[in-house]
Amino acid sequence: MSISKPRGTNDILPEDSLKWQYIEDVTRDVCVRYNYEEIRTPIFENTNLFRRGIGEATDIVEKEMYTFNDKGGRSVTLRPEGTASVVRAFLEHKIYGQAQPTKYFYYGPMFRYERPQSGRYRQFHQMGVEVLGTDSPAIDAEVISLGLHILTELGLSDLEVHLNSVGCPECREKYREKLRNYFEDDLEELCSDCQSRYDRNPLRILDCKNKGCQEYTVDSPEIIDSLCKECANHFEEVQSYLSSLDIDYIIDSNLVRGLDYYTKTAFEIMYTGLGAQDTIFGGGRYDGLAEEIGDRDIPGIGFAMGMERIILALEEQNIDLPLTTDLDLFITTIGQRAQETAFEYLYQLRRAGFKVEMDYLDRSVKGQMKCADRTNAQYSIILGDNELEKRTATIRNMETGEEIEIKLDNLVEEMNELIV
Ligand code: HAM
């Protein structure tokens, strides 16, 4: 019986892998321009990190974590997201003792036991950024603009920035009470998930995907009207920084995000062409998270974008990335001796920086020429007894058909002349 990949996972085959590399290169390049540095944290962590960080009453912690006991009996969890790990690393290495703010970016696989569908997987990949050590609203705008910059640099358009403030624990508690009062009479009409959210976290009723529940949220109180003075000012300033960059946004009072650590600014970027899973990236401020994880009062903000969703959006918008797999040179050989000589030249050429290939399957000359074509080689060369005897060969430009005769011993130098 053959074994297939686990449900909700993907193999990234070379053709797709090139797209991934391109996206990673673009994001790395943009992040470096904004002075962010790369951080890599473990793929699994102590389960308590996510319980405390993301929140016990969230879908992620309640239903979606890949948690198991290791052979030493410790409960560990495959990371469902990157923020808690980055904050843990920041605290563990006492980075707060250095000049602030600290600006990180990261890539990597994340794991959530969700019901798979297009754009939603059990192993998916995020590119994210986190900024620690400042609560300046300018940084909120920088983080949002950085995310948008990456997506537009990739060629994506028709993106919607949704923005909200979820306040601080004080104003949120007041808002929770308002929501409970509002939903009290219609509680029976809400789905069973929302009924349990009512007590534990009524804000989550606002982003329930159930159409029936959504009807009841239309006239619900908006958090913006419950913000304390500090949170309201912060929100105003974030908006004015965004406007100064000409970034359009939609204030979305139902945007509450699925993780409990958020405070003040919350945002998402959507591309409606993606259907049900239309959020390409989400993030926000989490000024209480470092306190929760490591008893330190350090503000933070960040976002993460789903790599798979970026690729789906690029496909949906028919954007061709400038990818190239072309070879510099293909060496066609005739006979054993030519094969051995070509093998040595390949090594020399590769060490000199060229992308070169030969045939390993004893194909006919015609078959090898086809290979040269298929691999989009820029140049090809044929080596046979004749060439070896005279120590000369002909390099052919596969596009123009132009040929030049060279001394075989000068092959590397000649290639250096041809390919700049
Ligand atoms: P999140 O909204 O849970 O936030 O995930 C961020 C992005 O990851 C989503 O917008 C989506 O593109 C992608 N994503 C999430 N779940 C899946 C899935 N099952 N399959 C495919 N893609 C998925 C966070 O993870 C926060 N850590 C973001 C953040 C960083 N907040 C502050 N800093």
Side-chain angles (χ1 to χ4, degrees):
M1 207 175 71
S2 61
I3 300 173
S4 26
K5 63 187 170 57
R7 195 164 132 74
T9 65
N10 293 299
D11 296 313
I12 302 159
L13 299 176
E15 199 186 317
D16 282 334
S17 196
L18 280 174
K19 292 187 191 164
W20 286 66
Q21 284 167 32
Y22 179 81
I23 297 168
E24 286 167 6
D25 287 349
V26 167
T27 51
R28 183 171 282 116
D29 180 53
V30 174
C31 284
V32 167
R33 279 187 252 166
Y34 285 70
N35 197 27
Y36 287 60
E37 295 175 303
E38 186 169 359
I39 183 167
R40 302 183 193 210
T41 59
I43 282 172
F44 65 91
E45 298 267 5
N46 287 324
T47 301
N48 278 339
L49 174 69
F50 301 119
R51 284 190 172 288
R52 296 226 303 260
I54 299 171
E56 298 278 357
T58 58
D59 283 353
I60 296 180
V61 170
E62 268 189 349
K63 308 185 214 162
E64 296 170 0
M65 293 208 302
Y66 281 88
T67 297
F68 56 96
N69 283 344
D70 70 7
K71 294 209 189 307
R74 300 169 204 92
S75 177
V76 293
T77 295
L78 299 185
R79 64 179 181 197
E81 59 108 46
T83 313
S85 302
V86 170
V87 173
R88 181 210 36 77
F90 176 89
L91 295 169
E92 193 160 337
H93 298 278
K94 301 191 171 51
I95 309 294
Y96 46 79
Q98 303 173 10
Q100 297 303 320
T102 302
K103 298 169 157 192
Y104 292 127
F105 70 93
Y106 55 89
Y107 302 95
M110 309 289 161
F111 305 85
R112 296 184 194 174
Y113 192 79
E114 294 198 81
R115 205 158 39 77
Q117 63 180 79
S118 171
R120 190 167 70 195
Y121 311 101
R122 291 182 176 166
Q123 174 174 332
F124 59 98
H125 298 75
Q126 285 184 344
M127 178 275 148
V129 310
E130 312 292 348
V131 181
L132 291 146
T134 171
D135 59 2
S136 162
I139 278 290
D140 301 38
E142 175 178 295
V143 164
I144 295 170
S145 64
L146 161 55
L148 204 56
H149 186 159
I150 291 172
L151 298 177
T152 48
E153 190 109 343
L154 288 170
L156 289 169
S157 53
D158 297 332
L159 304 166
E160 280 176 12
V161 179
H162 288 229
L163 186 69
N164 195 17
S165 172
V166 293
C168 60
E170 287 85 65
C171 37
R172 199 156 49 228
E173 199 39 56
K174 272 192 233 143
Y175 179 59
R176 280 204 185 100
E177 258 337 286
K178 274 197 198 168
L179 278 182
R180 286 197 188 98
N181 289 339
Y182 174 82
F183 287 117
E184 195 172 15
D185 294 340
D186 299 316
L187 198 52
E188 299 283 283
E189 312 299 328
L190 300 179
C191 72
S192 58
D193 274 348
C194 282
Q195 289 183 12
S196 75
R197 286 171 183 146
Y198 177 84
D199 285 320
R200 291 175 313 149
N201 191 359
L203 268 74
R204 294 301 314 281
I205 299 176
L206 301 178
D207 74 347
C208 180
K209 298 282 172 274
N210 191 316
K211 286 260 176 308
C213 298
Q214 282 172 3
E215 278 172 26
Y216 284 94
T217 64
V218 176
D219 295 320
S220 59
E222 298 193 349
I223 189 155
I224 294 173
D225 301 324
S226 300
L227 294 181
C228 66
K229 206 163 175 355
E230 194 203 319
C231 290
N233 283 343
H234 189 274
F235 194 42
E236 282 288 314
E237 284 186 58
V238 173
Q239 291 178 62
S240 97
Y241 277 113
L242 284 175
S243 302
S244 75
L245 303 181
D246 279 336
I247 292 179
D248 292 331
Y249 54 86
I250 297 165
I251 303 269
D252 180 349
S253 53
N254 282 359
L255 195 163
V256 292
R257 312 273 303 127
L259 303 96
D260 273 357
Y261 49 60
Y262 290 111
T263 53
K264 295 182 177 159
T265 316
F267 52 87
E268 287 184 346
I269 294 189
M270 333 274 219
Y271 169 53
T272 45
L274 285 185
Q277 304 304 321
D278 60 356
T279 309
I280 298 187
F281 102 28
R285 185 159 274 294
Y286 44 83
D287 291 346
L289 180 58
E291 184 86 57
E292 197 63 55
I293 296 174
D295 287 334
R296 283 214 169 239
D297 179 14
I298 292 161
I301 178 163
F303 70 71
M305 46 177 103
M307 293 287 287
E308 288 82 355
R309 289 191 196 173
I310 293 181
I311 287 175
L312 287 171
L314 289 167
E315 280 166 9
E316 190 60 37
Q317 297 194 4
N318 292 319
I319 294 170
D320 281 328
L321 300 177
L323 311 174
T324 161
T325 53
D326 302 355
L327 281 184
D328 294 323
L329 177 74
F330 188 93
I331 307 184
T332 297
T333 57
I334 311 168
Q336 174 76 17
R337 206 155 67 91
Q339 230 182 53
E340 286 165 12
T341 310
F343 189 69
E344 288 166 27
Y345 276 120
L346 281 188
Y347 186 60
Q348 283 184 31
L349 286 160
R350 286 169 179 163
R351 289 183 53 117
F354 295 107
K355 186 173 171 190
V356 290
E357 189 55 292
M358 65 183 266
D359 169 59
Y360 296 98
L361 291 176
D362 292 329
R363 286 187 177 89
S364 65
V365 172
K366 205 168 149 211
Q368 293 185 56
M369 296 302 266
K370 267 196 200 153
C371 271
D373 254 351
R374 196 163 22 87
T375 49
N376 279 337
Q378 235 182 307
Y379 292 94
S380 79
I381 185 172
I382 299 183
L383 286 190
D385 285 341
N386 228 345
E387 284 76 14
L388 294 181
E389 207 107 300
K390 292 200 272 173
R391 304 299 300 166
T392 59
T394 305
I395 296 186
R396 180 185 167 82
N397 182 321
M398 297 290 281
E399 206 184 307
T400 61
E402 202 183 317
E403 295 187 341
I404 50 166
E405 176 118 346
I406 61 151
K407 284 206 164 58
L408 205 46
D409 295 326
N410 290 346
L411 181 55
V412 173
E413 289 78 9
E414 293 288 348
M415 284 299 289
N416 267 323
E417 291 283 308
L418 289 172
I419 295 187
V420 268

